[in-house]
Amino acid sequence: MKKIFKTLLIIVLVFSFSTNVFAAESAETPSKVVLTDTEAAELLSNLTELDANQTIIKDNSSSDVYSTLAASSAVWQFESLAKNGLYNTGQTITVSERGQYKITAVQWADSLQLVRSPTVSYIFANPNNGSTIAEGYIFGNHTHTNTSTQVTVPQGTYRIYVYNHSSYSVSGNGNISRDL
């Protein structure tokens, strides 16, 4: 699956860069930009292959190519996470600079939603020993609109976990992004 995706991405990029590209500035007539095969190859050589569960993020003030990846950097979904249950999202995030990260989620109690208000934490953990580095909490049932919390995360690589602090099962989904 990764090879197919990588192959398709390369084909699309090569095709895009080897064909005519038009760029317009204000009301001026578009000018034609043509990349040579060498220029296209140079652009492709700057790409970094990541594992399917890894994202590199840099501060927005950085001039590095990776700053454009500051959108959603980890996405997960969990169903019927047992009381006091820990869910490994399988997501790994590499943070190149200390900063604020926004955790956005929807979550709900699997039963009796009218009287139950789950407490769920979203954890940045050391991938080697599982120790918690940063943790953000979201309280309550959120099914029709998402809710967010922010955490400060130091430089490093982290595994993302979801922990159900409630005494009943919960479900939900969410994502983490750099708060720019």
Side-chain angles (χ1 to χ4, degrees):
M1 181 72 167
K2 286 189 343 185
K3 285 186 179 184
I4 292 171
F5 176 76
K6 183 178 175 182
T7 303
L8 288 174
L9 178 63
I10 289 172
I11 290 170
V12 168
L13 289 172
V14 169
F15 179 74
S16 296
F17 291 124
S18 65
T19 59
N20 296 336
V21 179
F22 294 93
E25 286 190 28
S26 63
E28 295 180 15
T29 306
S31 59
K32 184 176 179 181
V33 177
V34 178
L35 295 176
T36 66
D37 289 340
T38 304
E39 291 169 325
E42 182 180 340
L43 284 172
L44 290 174
S45 70
N46 290 325
L47 296 178
T48 300
E49 183 178 352
L50 302 175
D51 292 336
N53 63 350
Q54 187 177 25
T55 304
I56 296 176
I57 297 183
K58 287 246 183 195
D59 188 317
N60 194 37
S61 62
S62 170
S63 61
D64 197 286
V65 172
Y66 299 119
S67 64
T68 59
L69 291 175
S72 189
S73 58
V75 179
W76 62 85
Q77 177 177 345
F78 57 95
E79 294 182 16
S80 300
L81 181 58
K83 66 179 182 176
N84 300 313
L86 181 67
Y87 172 67
N88 180 347
T89 67
Q91 301 288 307
T92 302
I93 296 178
T94 300
V95 176
S96 63
E97 297 176 29
R98 178 183 180 87
Q100 290 287 321
Y101 282 79
K102 182 177 179 180
I103 300 166
T104 303
V106 293
Q107 63 187 35
W108 57 90
D110 287 334
S111 62
L112 302 171
Q113 288 183 13
L114 292 176
V115 295
R116 290 182 169 169
S117 182
T119 299
V120 179
S121 64
Y122 301 90
I123 302 167
F124 288 77
N126 181 315
N128 299 319
N129 62 22
S131 64
T132 298
I133 305 301
E135 186 171 17
Y137 289 83
I138 294 183
F139 306 96
N141 287 303
H142 301 280
T143 57
H144 298 296
T145 57
N146 59 36
T147 189
S148 299
T149 188
Q150 292 182 342
V151 294
T152 301
V153 181
Q155 180 179 357
T157 298
Y158 306 102
R159 173 77 61 183
I160 306 302
Y161 292 95
V162 178
Y163 184 75
N164 177 13
H165 295 269
S166 309
S167 60
Y168 42 84
S169 66
V170 298
S171 296
N173 60 70
N175 66 75
I176 295 175
S177 59
R178 174 76 182 200
D179 194 17
L180 303 175

